[in-house]
Amino acid sequence: MNCPYCGYHDSKVIDSRDVNEGIRRRRQCLSCSSRFTTYERQQLASLFVIKKDERREEFSRNKLLTGIRKACEKRPLPTGAVDKLADDIEAELYHLGKAEIPSSVIGDMVMERLKSLDYIAYIRFASVYREFADITALKQEIDSLVSNETETLYPTSQLPLLPTEELEVVAKRRHRSRK
Ligand SMILES: [Zn+2]
């Protein structure tokens, strides 16, 4: 790859590491000494997506990425989070080892991951993908998210803490009274 700054044809690799089924190389131009990064990916066997109307379409990482990006637009997500999500899904799809995958499977994968990444992005994606028929269906989805959130904030396992503490106090009192 030519240097993106001066166009020189040669560079040296100063660092390389494995990332998401590929290799990331940090390079330095032999002419202007600018540093840039290249990614090397393995060309995987072709994978086809079965659309709702049964048509087949070759899997496109870009298309997947565009859909996720749209859902995550202007959300306060760390740099690279969206790309990583697309990378993870792509890797998982190829790991399935199938030649064809229904688009619904991919949509579910995206939803599952967006759910733990960002609720607003999740709702945006779900509203397009699941085609919420009306506001009630959308509200149900949001309500289920809110109740999950509440459970996470107040895990039921913590509820018995108080009685246990009381028991300890009682035990200490008994201990003291024995002295
Ligand atoms: Zn250069």
Side-chain angles (χ1 to χ4, degrees):
M1 184 182 167
N2 293 341
C3 169
Y5 302 97
C6 73
Y8 190 68
H9 63 85
D10 208 3
S11 58
K12 67 175 173 184
V13 175
I14 51 179
D15 180 50
S16 77
R17 65 186 62 176
D18 291 340
V19 283
N20 298 315
E21 317 272 308
I23 300 169
R24 172 189 178 277
R25 289 201 169 89
R26 194 80 182 126
R27 294 172 180 273
Q28 186 166 27
C29 174
L30 291 181
S31 172
C32 73
S33 299
S34 297
R35 292 177 176 197
F36 56 99
T37 306
T38 58
Y39 290 90
E40 202 175 285
R41 298 173 149 275
Q42 203 183 341
Q43 185 62 51
L44 299 155
S46 57
L47 175 68
F48 284 83
V49 178
I50 309 169
K51 317 257 294 176
K52 269 186 209 160
D53 58 8
E54 299 289 305
R55 277 186 303 123
R56 266 61 168 173
E57 187 177 83
E58 189 155 14
F59 170 75
S60 152
R61 181 181 183 277
N62 272 338
K63 212 170 169 183
L64 174 69
L65 195 57
T66 308
I68 302 171
R69 277 219 181 105
K70 212 174 266 176
C72 294
E73 214 165 58
K74 295 187 180 157
R75 294 302 302 154
L77 297 172
T79 311
V82 171
D83 288 76
K84 191 184 177 304
L85 205 147
D87 282 346
D88 288 350
I89 290 172
E90 186 188 21
E92 198 174 324
L93 289 174
Y94 281 104
H95 272 299
L96 291 174
K98 290 183 179 160
E100 296 185 329
I101 291 173
S103 59
S104 58
V105 171
I106 303 175
D108 288 346
M109 278 180 176
V110 175
M111 299 230 297
E112 194 186 300
R113 282 174 165 79
L114 281 182
K115 209 172 196 170
S116 54
L117 190 68
D118 186 277
Y119 282 170
I120 299 294
Y122 167 77
I123 286 294
R124 280 183 191 156
F125 188 88
S127 65
V128 173
Y129 168 69
R130 274 204 189 150
E131 296 167 355
F132 288 133
D134 49 38
I135 198 80
T136 313
L138 179 62
K139 189 184 177 296
Q140 275 170 359
E141 192 64 40
I142 293 174
D143 285 347
S144 84
L145 283 177
V146 171
S147 64
N148 281 346
E149 176 103 297
T150 315
E151 272 167 35
T152 320
L153 286 175
Y154 308 104
T156 45
S157 62
Q158 288 201 356
L159 290 178
L161 267 181
L162 199 64
T164 313
E165 280 165 4
E166 282 171 2
L167 282 177
E168 274 169 14
V169 171
V170 172
K172 272 180 199 159
R173 274 188 202 141
R174 273 186 196 149
H175 188 70
R176 268 186 219 141
S177 62
R178 257 182 231 147
K179 273 183 187 172

